[in-house]
Amino acid sequence: MAFDIDRYTATSVGVDWSDLDLEVFRDEPLPASSLRTLRYMADVEYHTVCYTRDLLTTPSHREADVSAFMTMWNREEFWHGEALAAVLAVHGITVDYDQLKASRLKLGWKDRLDPIKQSVLGGLVGQDFVAVHMSWGAANEWSAITAYQRMAELEEHPVLAELLRRIAKQEARHVAFYTSQARERLAASTKAQKVTRFALSRFWAPVGSSISTEDDVRHVMTHLMSGPDGRRAARKVDDSISGMPGLDGLTIVQDALDRLGVS
């Protein structure tokens, strides 16, 4: 079924947590390891604006549906960051824009060069770059949904679980868009399949890897994806990715866990 972009833009809203009693965390605080994972998630959500900035230099921005989606996607991801930051704040952990700006500045030339690299790659690949963008987005959003679901399962905290379910529900709409676009574009172009397969197999890494330390990435992946249940969740994401045209057999999430030493 084709994704209805008009309906999506008309119904896009920020995730609502006003009815959730976050004060319960004062009596039932989350453990330090979980707070570290939540902080990582919040940072990723807040950095969506940088990903959007980079992609606006590529052929993707000339696609009306893609531009409309990215506008709403960026807005919804921002509110995901706000929701997670609210939970962290009750625990005495403040996430603000000064800290985010500082973390971006630490990236130095890498942050400044990313838009240029995306622009050059987009120019070299041409219109088929949009298929790469959509497939990469699908992989990231499938991973995000899985991460939120795993966090809810592991914590078994009713308030946190409900908040994460609400965030995951919005992420599911993001997956629907990316997947619909990716399938159509991959099916229409053998070149798109080859370029996308190459990009994902060689360069994909867990969401947040580009803005976090390897130690933080390893912590989050171990927290959420280790053990039989975690690996099962990782395989499910890989199965979804490899089910798209020309991407059969890809195991990018499990490969990333292997590289990080997560078992």
Side-chain angles (χ1 to χ4, degrees):
M1 178 181 292
F3 186 91
D4 189 339
I5 190 65
D6 291 331
R7 185 172 184 275
Y8 170 68
T9 56
T11 58
S12 174
V13 295
V15 66
D16 181 27
W17 70 93
S18 61
D19 61 319
L20 299 180
D21 183 13
L22 301 188
E23 291 300 308
V24 299
F25 290 112
R26 298 195 188 280
D27 296 323
E28 304 170 27
L30 299 172
S33 60
S34 297
L35 292 173
R36 184 179 179 184
T37 297
L38 281 180
R39 175 58 193 268
Y40 180 99
M41 291 173 163
D43 285 352
V44 168
E45 298 288 17
Y46 275 136
H47 272 84
T48 298
V49 66
C50 289
Y51 306 141
T52 304
R53 172 205 65 185
D54 297 348
L55 290 166
L56 287 174
T57 67
T58 72
S60 294
H61 85 277
R62 293 194 291 268
E63 300 284 333
D65 284 1
V66 174
S67 294
F69 169 78
M70 289 176 66
T71 300
M72 299 302 172
W73 170 70
N74 184 70
R75 175 177 178 271
E76 290 181 358
E77 300 285 30
F78 170 82
W79 284 108
H80 295 171
E82 290 283 276
L84 297 175
V87 174
L88 292 168
V90 180
H91 291 82
I93 301 172
T94 302
V95 183
D96 59 33
Y97 281 108
D98 286 339
Q99 291 174 318
L100 292 171
K101 182 179 179 181
S103 66
R104 287 171 188 163
L105 288 174
K106 287 179 182 178
L107 296 175
W109 283 107
K110 182 183 183 304
D111 184 58
R112 296 179 180 86
L113 288 173
D114 275 348
I116 299 173
K117 289 192 296 184
Q118 292 282 358
S119 179
V120 172
L121 287 172
L124 289 173
V125 176
Q127 194 60 26
D128 284 323
F129 180 87
V130 184
V132 180
H133 173 191
M134 296 296 102
S135 302
W136 196 289
N140 284 352
E141 296 292 348
W142 268 316
S143 299
I145 289 178
T146 301
Y148 286 127
Q149 291 174 338
R150 287 287 296 152
M151 188 72 171
E153 293 168 3
L154 291 168
E155 284 304 324
E156 298 183 334
H157 191 294
V159 173
L160 179 65
E162 176 59 26
L163 175 60
L164 297 180
R165 276 195 292 267
R166 293 180 188 184
I167 294 175
K169 186 176 180 179
Q170 286 196 332
E171 300 286 11
R173 296 216 297 173
H174 301 168
V175 165
F177 175 81
Y178 280 122
T179 305
S180 174
Q181 288 277 331
R183 286 186 181 281
E184 180 180 343
R185 295 172 188 277
L186 289 171
S189 171
T190 301
K191 176 187 173 185
Q193 294 178 17
K194 291 179 179 178
V195 174
T196 300
R197 187 181 187 89
F198 175 79
L200 287 173
S201 62
R202 292 291 297 274
F203 303 115
W204 188 88
V207 184
S209 297
S210 63
I211 60 172
S212 305
T213 66
E214 184 171 309
D215 189 51
D216 280 339
V217 178
R218 184 177 293 107
H219 165 81
V220 173
M221 294 301 106
T222 300
H223 185 185
L224 301 177
M225 297 293 187
S226 62
D229 290 341
R231 277 288 175 158
R232 190 176 302 112
R235 285 196 298 273
K236 186 176 179 180
V237 176
D238 280 334
D239 288 345
S240 297
I241 296 167
S242 64
M244 293 194 290
L247 304 186
D248 55 295
L250 285 184
T251 55
I252 60 174
V253 179
Q254 295 171 83
D255 292 345
L257 295 179
D258 290 342
R259 287 194 300 270
L260 290 166
V262 177
S263 60

